[in-house]
PDB file of all heavy atoms in Angstrom:
ATOM      1  N   PHE A1059      -6.308  35.185  74.429  1.00 98.00           N
ATOM      2  CA  PHE A1059      -6.991  35.423  73.108  1.00 98.00           C
ATOM      3  C   PHE A1059      -7.537  36.831  73.122  1.00 98.00           C
ATOM      4  O   PHE A1059      -8.184  37.291  74.010  1.00 98.00           O
ATOM      5  CB  PHE A1059      -8.073  34.496  72.913  1.00 98.00           C
ATOM      6  CG  PHE A1059      -8.898  34.661  71.659  1.00 98.00           C
ATOM      7  CD1 PHE A1059      -8.546  34.117  70.404  1.00 98.00           C
ATOM      8  CD2 PHE A1059     -10.063  35.506  71.710  1.00 98.00           C
ATOM      9  CE1 PHE A1059      -9.324  34.331  69.253  1.00 98.00           C
ATOM     10  CE2 PHE A1059     -10.790  35.692  70.485  1.00 98.00           C
ATOM     11  CZ  PHE A1059     -10.459  35.155  69.284  1.00 98.00           C
ATOM     12  N   SER A1060      -7.314  37.569  71.986  1.00 98.00           N
ATOM     13  CA  SER A1060      -8.012  38.876  71.774  1.00 98.00           C
ATOM     14  C   SER A1060      -8.417  38.901  70.306  1.00 98.00           C
ATOM     15  O   SER A1060      -7.861  38.210  69.464  1.00 98.00           O
ATOM     16  CB  SER A1060      -7.079  40.008  72.082  1.00 98.00           C
ATOM     17  OG  SER A1060      -5.925  39.981  71.369  1.00 98.00           O
ATOM     18  N   ALA A1061      -9.424  39.815  69.969  1.00 98.00           N
ATOM     19  CA  ALA A1061      -9.872  39.930  68.602  1.00 98.00           C
ATOM     20  C   ALA A1061     -10.441  41.251  68.295  1.00 98.00           C
ATOM     21  O   ALA A1061     -10.962  41.908  69.296  1.00 98.00           O
ATOM     22  CB  ALA A1061     -10.867  38.792  68.399  1.00 98.00           C
ATOM     23  N   GLU A1062     -10.433  41.647  67.090  1.00 96.00           N
ATOM     24  CA  GLU A1062     -11.147  42.827  66.673  1.00 96.00           C
ATOM     25  C   GLU A1062     -11.570  42.575  65.185  1.00 96.00           C
ATOM     26  O   GLU A1062     -10.945  41.899  64.400  1.00 96.00           O
ATOM     27  CB  GLU A1062     -10.287  44.058  66.715  1.00 96.00           C
ATOM     28  CG  GLU A1062      -9.071  44.118  65.752  1.00 96.00           C
ATOM     29  CD  GLU A1062      -8.330  45.464  65.728  1.00 96.00           C
ATOM     30  OE1 GLU A1062      -8.961  46.418  65.889  1.00 96.00           O
ATOM     31  OE2 GLU A1062      -7.124  45.425  65.612  1.00 96.00           O
ATOM     32  N   VAL A1063     -12.744  43.177  64.834  1.00 95.00           N
ATOM     33  CA  VAL A1063     -13.305  43.099  63.452  1.00 95.00           C
ATOM     34  C   VAL A1063     -12.514  44.078  62.573  1.00 95.00           C
ATOM     35  O   VAL A1063     -12.462  45.278  62.883  1.00 95.00           O
ATOM     36  CB  VAL A1063     -14.801  43.361  63.428  1.00 95.00           C
ATOM     37  CG1 VAL A1063     -15.309  43.490  61.908  1.00 95.00           C
ATOM     38  CG2 VAL A1063     -15.592  42.365  64.182  1.00 95.00           C
ATOM     39  N   VAL A1064     -11.912  43.583  61.541  1.00 89.00           N
ATOM     40  CA  VAL A1064     -11.130  44.420  60.603  1.00 89.00           C
ATOM     41  C   VAL A1064     -11.658  44.550  59.248  1.00 89.00           C
ATOM     42  O   VAL A1064     -11.230  45.346  58.419  1.00 89.00           O
ATOM     43  CB  VAL A1064      -9.651  43.970  60.463  1.00 89.00           C
ATOM     44  CG1 VAL A1064      -8.968  44.080  61.825  1.00 89.00           C
ATOM     45  CG2 VAL A1064      -9.577  42.492  59.991  1.00 89.00           C
ATOM     46  N   GLY A1065     -12.703  43.780  58.981  1.00 85.00           N
ATOM     47  CA  GLY A1065     -13.432  43.896  57.639  1.00 85.00           C
ATOM     48  C   GLY A1065     -14.860  43.486  57.790  1.00 85.00           C
ATOM     49  O   GLY A1065     -15.135  42.575  58.549  1.00 85.00           O
ATOM     50  N   PHE A1066     -15.749  44.087  57.103  1.00 86.00           N
ATOM     51  CA  PHE A1066     -17.229  43.775  57.297  1.00 86.00           C
ATOM     52  C   PHE A1066     -18.002  44.335  56.203  1.00 86.00           C
ATOM     53  O   PHE A1066     -17.733  45.344  55.590  1.00 86.00           O
ATOM     54  CB  PHE A1066     -17.648  44.332  58.618  1.00 86.00           C
ATOM     55  CG  PHE A1066     -17.831  45.839  58.519  1.00 86.00           C
ATOM     56  CD1 PHE A1066     -19.064  46.418  58.273  1.00 86.00           C
ATOM     57  CD2 PHE A1066     -16.780  46.667  58.834  1.00 86.00           C
ATOM     58  CE1 PHE A1066     -19.189  47.811  58.175  1.00 86.00           C
ATOM     59  CE2 PHE A1066     -16.887  48.077  58.780  1.00 86.00           C
ATOM     60  CZ  PHE A1066     -18.084  48.629  58.463  1.00 86.00           C
ATOM     61  N   PHE A1067     -19.105  43.617  55.871  1.00 83.00           N
ATOM     62  CA  PHE A1067     -20.231  44.275  55.201  1.00 83.00           C
ATOM     63  C   PHE A1067     -21.411  43.326  55.412  1.00 83.00           C
ATOM     64  O   PHE A1067     -21.259  42.129  55.615  1.00 83.00           O
ATOM     65  CB  PHE A1067     -20.029  44.605  53.779  1.00 83.00           C
ATOM     66  CG  PHE A1067     -19.728  43.448  52.828  1.00 83.00           C
ATOM     67  CD1 PHE A1067     -20.780  42.627  52.282  1.00 83.00           C
ATOM     68  CD2 PHE A1067     -18.385  43.116  52.487  1.00 83.00           C
ATOM     69  CE1 PHE A1067     -20.414  41.536  51.501  1.00 83.00           C
ATOM     70  CE2 PHE A1067     -18.126  42.082  51.660  1.00 83.00           C
ATOM     71  CZ  PHE A1067     -19.121  41.216  51.196  1.00 83.00           C
ATOM     72  N   ASP A1068     -22.657  43.930  55.475  1.00 89.00           N
ATOM     73  CA  ASP A1068     -23.799  43.213  55.718  1.00 89.00           C
ATOM     74  C   ASP A1068     -24.292  42.540  54.435  1.00 89.00           C
ATOM     75  O   ASP A1068     -23.999  43.108  53.361  1.00 89.00           O
ATOM     76  CB  ASP A1068     -24.895  44.066  56.351  1.00 89.00           C
ATOM     77  CG  ASP A1068     -24.533  44.541  57.716  1.00 89.00           C
ATOM     78  OD1 ASP A1068     -23.736  43.868  58.430  1.00 89.00           O
ATOM     79  OD2 ASP A1068     -25.180  45.554  58.196  1.00 89.00           O
ATOM     80  N   PRO A1069     -25.058  41.514  54.506  1.00 93.00           N
ATOM     81  CA  PRO A1069     -25.518  40.810  53.250  1.00 93.00           C
ATOM     82  C   PRO A1069     -26.440  41.739  52.394  1.00 93.00           C
ATOM     83  O   PRO A1069     -27.402  42.280  52.869  1.00 93.00           O
ATOM     84  CB  PRO A1069     -26.382  39.633  53.825  1.00 93.00           C
ATOM     85  CG  PRO A1069     -25.961  39.457  55.245  1.00 93.00           C
ATOM     86  CD  PRO A1069     -25.559  40.805  55.706  1.00 93.00           C
ATOM     87  N   PRO A1070     -25.990  41.906  51.132  1.00 93.00           N
ATOM     88  CA  PRO A1070     -26.811  42.721  50.240  1.00 93.00           C
ATOM     89  C   PRO A1070     -27.914  41.945  49.540  1.00 93.00           C
ATOM     90  O   PRO A1070     -27.654  40.846  49.110  1.00 93.00           O
ATOM     91  CB  PRO A1070     -25.833  43.314  49.264  1.00 93.00           C
ATOM     92  CG  PRO A1070     -24.790  42.210  49.145  1.00 93.00           C
ATOM     93  CD  PRO A1070     -24.718  41.564  50.538  1.00 93.00           C
ATOM     94  N   ALA A1071     -29.052  42.509  49.325  1.00 95.00           N
ATOM     95  CA  ALA A1071     -30.113  42.026  48.423  1.00 95.00           C
ATOM     96  C   ALA A1071     -30.156  42.923  47.168  1.00 95.00           C
ATOM     97  O   ALA A1071     -30.345  44.169  47.360  1.00 95.00           O
ATOM     98  CB  ALA A1071     -31.430  41.980  49.156  1.00 95.00           C
ATOM     99  N   PHE A1072     -29.822  42.341  46.013  1.00 97.00           N
ATOM    100  CA  PHE A1072     -29.710  43.178  44.875  1.00 97.00           C
ATOM    101  C   PHE A1072     -31.176  43.623  44.371  1.00 97.00           C
ATOM    102  O   PHE A1072     -32.211  42.998  44.653  1.00 97.00           O
ATOM    103  CB  PHE A1072     -28.949  42.473  43.881  1.00 97.00           C
ATOM    104  CG  PHE A1072     -27.495  42.296  44.207  1.00 97.00           C
ATOM    105  CD1 PHE A1072     -26.929  40.987  44.294  1.00 97.00           C
ATOM    106  CD2 PHE A1072     -26.700  43.353  44.451  1.00 97.00           C
ATOM    107  CE1 PHE A1072     -25.588  40.866  44.677  1.00 97.00           C
ATOM    108  CE2 PHE A1072     -25.376  43.277  44.841  1.00 97.00           C
ATOM    109  CZ  PHE A1072     -24.757  41.993  44.886  1.00 97.00           C
ATOM    110  N   ASP A1073     -31.094  44.697  43.530  1.00 98.00           N
ATOM    111  CA  ASP A1073     -32.310  45.306  43.066  1.00 98.00           C
ATOM    112  C   ASP A1073     -33.168  44.315  42.292  1.00 98.00           C
ATOM    113  O   ASP A1073     -32.725  43.813  41.295  1.00 98.00           O
ATOM    114  CB  ASP A1073     -31.928  46.545  42.209  1.00 98.00           C
ATOM    115  CG  ASP A1073     -33.119  47.240  41.713  1.00 98.00           C
ATOM    116  OD1 ASP A1073     -33.692  48.030  42.499  1.00 98.00           O
ATOM    117  OD2 ASP A1073     -33.569  47.049  40.559  1.00 98.00           O
ATOM    118  N   PRO A1074     -34.408  44.134  42.704  1.00 98.00           N
ATOM    119  CA  PRO A1074     -35.293  43.103  42.011  1.00 98.00           C
ATOM    120  C   PRO A1074     -35.612  43.434  40.509  1.00 98.00           C
ATOM    121  O   PRO A1074     -35.782  42.526  39.789  1.00 98.00           O
ATOM    122  CB  PRO A1074     -36.530  43.093  42.943  1.00 98.00           C
ATOM    123  CG  PRO A1074     -36.529  44.416  43.696  1.00 98.00           C
ATOM    124  CD  PRO A1074     -35.129  44.728  43.786  1.00 98.00           C
ATOM    125  N   VAL A1075     -35.742  44.742  40.232  1.00 98.00           N
ATOM    126  CA  VAL A1075     -35.979  45.053  38.754  1.00 98.00           C
ATOM    127  C   VAL A1075     -34.792  44.697  37.965  1.00 98.00           C
ATOM    128  O   VAL A1075     -34.932  44.037  36.905  1.00 98.00           O
ATOM    129  CB  VAL A1075     -36.339  46.555  38.678  1.00 98.00           C
ATOM    130  CG1 VAL A1075     -36.318  46.940  37.272  1.00 98.00           C
ATOM    131  CG2 VAL A1075     -37.565  46.943  39.374  1.00 98.00           C
ATOM    132  N   LEU A1076     -33.559  44.992  38.414  1.00 98.00           N
ATOM    133  CA  LEU A1076     -32.421  44.604  37.632  1.00 98.00           C
ATOM    134  C   LEU A1076     -32.146  43.057  37.612  1.00 98.00           C
ATOM    135  O   LEU A1076     -31.720  42.470  36.620  1.00 98.00           O
ATOM    136  CB  LEU A1076     -31.147  45.309  38.180  1.00 98.00           C
ATOM    137  CG  LEU A1076     -31.083  46.778  38.132  1.00 98.00           C
ATOM    138  CD1 LEU A1076     -29.862  47.406  38.807  1.00 98.00           C
ATOM    139  CD2 LEU A1076     -31.039  47.178  36.629  1.00 98.00           C
ATOM    140  N   VAL A1077     -32.473  42.429  38.765  1.00 98.00           N
ATOM    141  CA  VAL A1077     -32.404  40.958  38.820  1.00 98.00           C
ATOM    142  C   VAL A1077     -33.293  40.366  37.748  1.00 98.00           C
ATOM    143  O   VAL A1077     -32.977  39.437  36.975  1.00 98.00           O
ATOM    144  CB  VAL A1077     -32.679  40.438  40.230  1.00 98.00           C
ATOM    145  CG1 VAL A1077     -32.903  38.924  40.203  1.00 98.00           C
ATOM    146  CG2 VAL A1077     -31.624  40.803  41.200  1.00 98.00           C
ATOM    147  N   GLY A1078     -34.489  40.958  37.638  1.00 98.00           N
ATOM    148  CA  GLY A1078     -35.464  40.429  36.684  1.00 98.00           C
ATOM    149  C   GLY A1078     -34.949  40.674  35.190  1.00 98.00           C
ATOM    150  O   GLY A1078     -35.123  39.801  34.420  1.00 98.00           O
ATOM    151  N   ARG A1079     -34.319  41.805  34.978  1.00 98.00           N
ATOM    152  CA  ARG A1079     -33.792  41.994  33.678  1.00 98.00           C
ATOM    153  C   ARG A1079     -32.687  41.035  33.225  1.00 98.00           C
ATOM    154  O   ARG A1079     -32.631  40.607  32.090  1.00 98.00           O
ATOM    155  CB  ARG A1079     -33.296  43.412  33.543  1.00 98.00           C
ATOM    156  CG  ARG A1079     -34.391  44.522  33.454  1.00 98.00           C
ATOM    157  CD  ARG A1079     -33.836  45.887  33.497  1.00 98.00           C
ATOM    158  NE  ARG A1079     -34.873  46.908  33.533  1.00 98.00           N
ATOM    159  CZ  ARG A1079     -34.785  48.185  33.810  1.00 98.00           C
ATOM    160  NH1 ARG A1079     -33.577  48.649  34.162  1.00 98.00           N
ATOM    161  NH2 ARG A1079     -35.864  49.027  33.898  1.00 98.00           N
ATOM    162  N   VAL A1080     -31.875  40.739  34.204  1.00 98.00           N
ATOM    163  CA  VAL A1080     -30.748  39.758  34.000  1.00 98.00           C
ATOM    164  C   VAL A1080     -31.396  38.408  33.714  1.00 98.00           C
ATOM    165  O   VAL A1080     -31.016  37.659  32.722  1.00 98.00           O
ATOM    166  CB  VAL A1080     -29.817  39.734  35.204  1.00 98.00           C
ATOM    167  CG1 VAL A1080     -28.858  38.542  35.079  1.00 98.00           C
ATOM    168  CG2 VAL A1080     -29.045  41.061  35.311  1.00 98.00           C
ATOM    169  N   ARG A1081     -32.429  38.013  34.531  1.00 98.00           N
ATOM    170  CA  ARG A1081     -32.969  36.720  34.304  1.00 98.00           C
ATOM    171  C   ARG A1081     -33.667  36.570  32.951  1.00 98.00           C
ATOM    172  O   ARG A1081     -33.564  35.627  32.215  1.00 98.00           O
ATOM    173  CB  ARG A1081     -34.038  36.426  35.404  1.00 98.00           C
ATOM    174  CG  ARG A1081     -34.544  34.979  35.465  1.00 98.00           C
ATOM    175  CD  ARG A1081     -35.538  34.840  36.567  1.00 98.00           C
ATOM    176  NE  ARG A1081     -35.007  34.979  37.868  1.00 98.00           N
ATOM    177  CZ  ARG A1081     -35.220  35.901  38.762  1.00 98.00           C
ATOM    178  NH1 ARG A1081     -36.099  36.868  38.435  1.00 98.00           N
ATOM    179  NH2 ARG A1081     -34.702  35.919  39.895  1.00 98.00           N
ATOM    180  N   GLU A1082     -34.398  37.680  32.586  1.00 98.00           N
ATOM    181  CA  GLU A1082     -35.170  37.698  31.262  1.00 98.00           C
ATOM    182  C   GLU A1082     -34.211  37.709  30.130  1.00 98.00           C
ATOM    183  O   GLU A1082     -34.429  37.142  29.057  1.00 98.00           O
ATOM    184  CB  GLU A1082     -36.029  38.962  31.285  1.00 98.00           C
ATOM    185  CG  GLU A1082     -37.230  38.868  32.174  1.00 98.00           C
ATOM    186  CD  GLU A1082     -37.811  40.160  32.491  1.00 98.00           C
ATOM    187  OE1 GLU A1082     -37.422  41.193  31.870  1.00 98.00           O
ATOM    188  OE2 GLU A1082     -38.669  40.293  33.366  1.00 98.00           O
ATOM    189  N   ALA A1083     -33.029  38.438  30.318  1.00 98.00           N
ATOM    190  CA  ALA A1083     -31.995  38.483  29.260  1.00 98.00           C
ATOM    191  C   ALA A1083     -31.448  37.069  28.969  1.00 98.00           C
ATOM    192  O   ALA A1083     -31.245  36.620  27.836  1.00 98.00           O
ATOM    193  CB  ALA A1083     -30.869  39.322  29.564  1.00 98.00           C
ATOM    194  N   ALA A1084     -31.108  36.327  30.037  1.00 98.00           N
ATOM    195  CA  ALA A1084     -30.563  34.908  29.883  1.00 98.00           C
ATOM    196  C   ALA A1084     -31.592  34.034  29.198  1.00 98.00           C
ATOM    197  O   ALA A1084     -31.258  33.240  28.308  1.00 98.00           O
ATOM    198  CB  ALA A1084     -30.281  34.370  31.309  1.00 98.00           C
ATOM    199  N   GLU A1085     -32.916  34.203  29.576  1.00 98.00           N
ATOM    200  CA  GLU A1085     -33.962  33.374  28.886  1.00 98.00           C
ATOM    201  C   GLU A1085     -34.075  33.761  27.404  1.00 98.00           C
ATOM    202  O   GLU A1085     -34.136  32.872  26.544  1.00 98.00           O
ATOM    203  CB  GLU A1085     -35.255  33.546  29.573  1.00 98.00           C
ATOM    204  CG  GLU A1085     -35.199  32.981  31.048  1.00 98.00           C
ATOM    205  CD  GLU A1085     -36.578  33.401  31.728  1.00 98.00           C
ATOM    206  OE1 GLU A1085     -37.395  34.032  31.241  1.00 98.00           O
ATOM    207  OE2 GLU A1085     -36.647  32.869  32.945  1.00 98.00           O
ATOM    208  N   ARG A1086     -34.056  35.085  27.154  1.00 97.00           N
ATOM    209  CA  ARG A1086     -34.222  35.519  25.731  1.00 97.00           C
ATOM    210  C   ARG A1086     -33.051  35.004  24.898  1.00 97.00           C
ATOM    211  O   ARG A1086     -33.288  34.681  23.682  1.00 97.00           O
ATOM    212  CB  ARG A1086     -34.338  37.059  25.763  1.00 97.00           C
ATOM    213  CG  ARG A1086     -34.592  37.643  24.434  1.00 97.00           C
ATOM    214  CD  ARG A1086     -34.963  39.164  24.587  1.00 97.00           C
ATOM    215  NE  ARG A1086     -34.028  39.924  25.304  1.00 97.00           N
ATOM    216  CZ  ARG A1086     -34.194  40.452  26.597  1.00 97.00           C
ATOM    217  NH1 ARG A1086     -35.373  40.243  27.215  1.00 97.00           N
ATOM    218  NH2 ARG A1086     -33.220  41.138  27.169  1.00 97.00           N
ATOM    219  N   LEU A1087     -31.876  35.033  25.452  1.00 98.00           N
ATOM    220  CA  LEU A1087     -30.702  34.627  24.679  1.00 98.00           C
ATOM    221  C   LEU A1087     -30.494  33.069  24.638  1.00 98.00           C
ATOM    222  O   LEU A1087     -29.649  32.662  23.949  1.00 98.00           O
ATOM    223  CB  LEU A1087     -29.418  35.218  25.305  1.00 98.00           C
ATOM    224  CG  LEU A1087     -29.352  36.767  25.096  1.00 98.00           C
ATOM    225  CD1 LEU A1087     -28.389  37.378  26.258  1.00 98.00           C
ATOM    226  CD2 LEU A1087     -28.778  37.050  23.725  1.00 98.00           C
ATOM    227  N   GLY A1088     -31.299  32.352  25.411  1.00 98.00           N
ATOM    228  CA  GLY A1088     -31.297  30.913  25.309  1.00 98.00           C
ATOM    229  C   GLY A1088     -30.216  30.290  26.184  1.00 98.00           C
ATOM    230  O   GLY A1088     -29.790  29.170  25.932  1.00 98.00           O
ATOM    231  N   TYR A1089     -29.737  31.056  27.162  1.00 98.00           N
ATOM    232  CA  TYR A1089     -28.672  30.506  27.998  1.00 98.00           C
ATOM    233  C   TYR A1089     -29.301  29.839  29.283  1.00 98.00           C
ATOM    234  O   TYR A1089     -30.238  30.389  29.855  1.00 98.00           O
ATOM    235  CB  TYR A1089     -27.698  31.648  28.532  1.00 98.00           C
ATOM    236  CG  TYR A1089     -26.853  32.176  27.406  1.00 98.00           C
ATOM    237  CD1 TYR A1089     -26.809  33.590  27.156  1.00 98.00           C
ATOM    238  CD2 TYR A1089     -26.098  31.387  26.676  1.00 98.00           C
ATOM    239  CE1 TYR A1089     -26.014  34.086  26.108  1.00 98.00           C
ATOM    240  CE2 TYR A1089     -25.196  31.871  25.680  1.00 98.00           C
ATOM    241  CZ  TYR A1089     -25.188  33.216  25.375  1.00 98.00           C
ATOM    242  OH  TYR A1089     -24.417  33.692  24.384  1.00 98.00           O
ATOM    243  N   SER A1090     -28.784  28.671  29.566  1.00 98.00           N
ATOM    244  CA  SER A1090     -29.220  28.054  30.893  1.00 98.00           C
ATOM    245  C   SER A1090     -28.799  28.879  32.032  1.00 98.00           C
ATOM    246  O   SER A1090     -27.644  29.440  32.052  1.00 98.00           O
ATOM    247  CB  SER A1090     -28.610  26.606  30.935  1.00 98.00           C
ATOM    248  OG  SER A1090     -27.212  26.682  30.850  1.00 98.00           O
ATOM    249  N   HIS A1091     -29.655  29.037  33.049  1.00 98.00           N
ATOM    250  CA  HIS A1091     -29.317  29.904  34.151  1.00 98.00           C
ATOM    251  C   HIS A1091     -30.002  29.459  35.394  1.00 98.00           C
ATOM    252  O   HIS A1091     -30.965  28.683  35.430  1.00 98.00           O
ATOM    253  CB  HIS A1091     -29.831  31.405  33.744  1.00 98.00           C
ATOM    254  CG  HIS A1091     -31.266  31.415  33.547  1.00 98.00           C
ATOM    255  ND1 HIS A1091     -32.183  31.791  34.516  1.00 98.00           N
ATOM    256  CD2 HIS A1091     -32.039  31.270  32.410  1.00 98.00           C
ATOM    257  CE1 HIS A1091     -33.430  31.775  34.044  1.00 98.00           C
ATOM    258  NE2 HIS A1091     -33.302  31.445  32.803  1.00 98.00           N
ATOM    259  N   MET A1092     -29.560  30.036  36.493  1.00 98.00           N
ATOM    260  CA  MET A1092     -30.178  29.788  37.750  1.00 98.00           C
ATOM    261  C   MET A1092     -29.991  30.954  38.713  1.00 98.00           C
ATOM    262  O   MET A1092     -28.966  31.663  38.590  1.00 98.00           O
ATOM    263  CB  MET A1092     -29.562  28.488  38.451  1.00 98.00           C
ATOM    264  CG  MET A1092     -28.084  28.563  38.758  1.00 98.00           C
ATOM    265  SD  MET A1092     -27.415  27.067  39.506  1.00 98.00           S
ATOM    266  CE  MET A1092     -28.155  27.154  41.076  1.00 98.00           C
ATOM    267  N   ASP A1093     -30.795  31.148  39.680  1.00 97.00           N
ATOM    268  CA  ASP A1093     -30.595  32.118  40.729  1.00 97.00           C
ATOM    269  C   ASP A1093     -29.462  31.637  41.653  1.00 97.00           C
ATOM    270  O   ASP A1093     -29.325  30.455  41.897  1.00 97.00           O
ATOM    271  CB  ASP A1093     -31.825  32.358  41.536  1.00 97.00           C
ATOM    272  CG  ASP A1093     -32.912  33.148  40.796  1.00 97.00           C
ATOM    273  OD1 ASP A1093     -32.701  33.512  39.598  1.00 97.00           O
ATOM    274  OD2 ASP A1093     -33.937  33.368  41.424  1.00 97.00           O
ATOM    275  N   ILE A1094     -28.623  32.536  42.153  1.00 96.00           N
ATOM    276  CA  ILE A1094     -27.454  32.158  42.863  1.00 96.00           C
ATOM    277  C   ILE A1094     -27.138  33.295  43.933  1.00 96.00           C
ATOM    278  O   ILE A1094     -27.456  34.474  43.695  1.00 96.00           O
ATOM    279  CB  ILE A1094     -26.241  31.861  42.022  1.00 96.00           C
ATOM    280  CG1 ILE A1094     -25.164  31.154  42.741  1.00 96.00           C
ATOM    281  CG2 ILE A1094     -25.728  33.181  41.337  1.00 96.00           C
ATOM    282  CD1 ILE A1094     -24.096  30.584  41.878  1.00 96.00           C
ATOM    283  N   ILE A1095     -26.591  32.907  45.026  1.00 94.00           N
ATOM    284  CA  ILE A1095     -26.040  33.803  46.005  1.00 94.00           C
ATOM    285  C   ILE A1095     -24.525  33.886  45.853  1.00 94.00           C
ATOM    286  O   ILE A1095     -23.829  32.880  45.764  1.00 94.00           O
ATOM    287  CB  ILE A1095     -26.474  33.392  47.380  1.00 94.00           C
ATOM    288  CG1 ILE A1095     -27.934  33.455  47.592  1.00 94.00           C
ATOM    289  CG2 ILE A1095     -25.726  34.214  48.509  1.00 94.00           C
ATOM    290  CD1 ILE A1095     -28.467  32.758  48.860  1.00 94.00           C
ATOM    291  N   SER A1096     -24.039  35.105  45.812  1.00 94.00           N
ATOM    292  CA  SER A1096     -22.541  35.277  45.715  1.00 94.00           C
ATOM    293  C   SER A1096     -21.881  34.957  46.997  1.00 94.00           C
ATOM    294  O   SER A1096     -22.109  35.547  48.066  1.00 94.00           O
ATOM    295  CB  SER A1096     -22.229  36.723  45.302  1.00 94.00           C
ATOM    296  OG  SER A1096     -20.854  36.905  45.313  1.00 94.00           O
ATOM    297  N   GLY A1097     -21.012  33.957  46.977  1.00 88.00           N
ATOM    298  CA  GLY A1097     -20.258  33.577  48.107  1.00 88.00           C
ATOM    299  C   GLY A1097     -19.092  34.612  48.435  1.00 88.00           C
ATOM    300  O   GLY A1097     -18.714  34.794  49.644  1.00 88.00           O
ATOM    301  N   ALA A1098     -18.569  35.269  47.443  1.00 89.00           N
ATOM    302  CA  ALA A1098     -17.451  36.158  47.620  1.00 89.00           C
ATOM    303  C   ALA A1098     -17.965  37.637  47.806  1.00 89.00           C
ATOM    304  O   ALA A1098     -19.042  37.982  47.391  1.00 89.00           O
ATOM    305  CB  ALA A1098     -16.503  36.063  46.413  1.00 89.00           C
ATOM    306  N   GLY A1099     -17.089  38.385  48.317  1.00 88.00           N
ATOM    307  CA  GLY A1099     -17.440  39.838  48.394  1.00 88.00           C
ATOM    308  C   GLY A1099     -17.045  40.490  47.099  1.00 88.00           C
ATOM    309  O   GLY A1099     -16.087  40.204  46.445  1.00 88.00           O
TER     310      GLY A1099
END
């Protein structure tokens, strides 16, 4: 068995100000929403 890493990125935490704007926009527009972690890259 042999192996090498061929793709990578560390977990990102998105900008809290922008996250807040997205959350507030969903509330203002009346859309049901939830916080979520992106499973895909």
Side-chain angles (χ1 to χ4, degrees):
F1059 175 89
S1060 62
E1062 65 171 327
V1063 174
V1064 294
F1066 71 95
F1067 61 84
D1068 292 341
F1072 292 120
D1073 183 77
V1075 173
L1076 292 176
V1077 169
R1079 286 175 183 164
V1080 168
R1081 189 182 293 115
E1082 291 160 8
E1085 292 173 359
R1086 184 166 55 249
L1087 288 158
Y1089 290 127
S1090 57
H1091 62 90
M1092 65 181 289
D1093 287 1
I1094 194 169
I1095 293 168
S1096 173

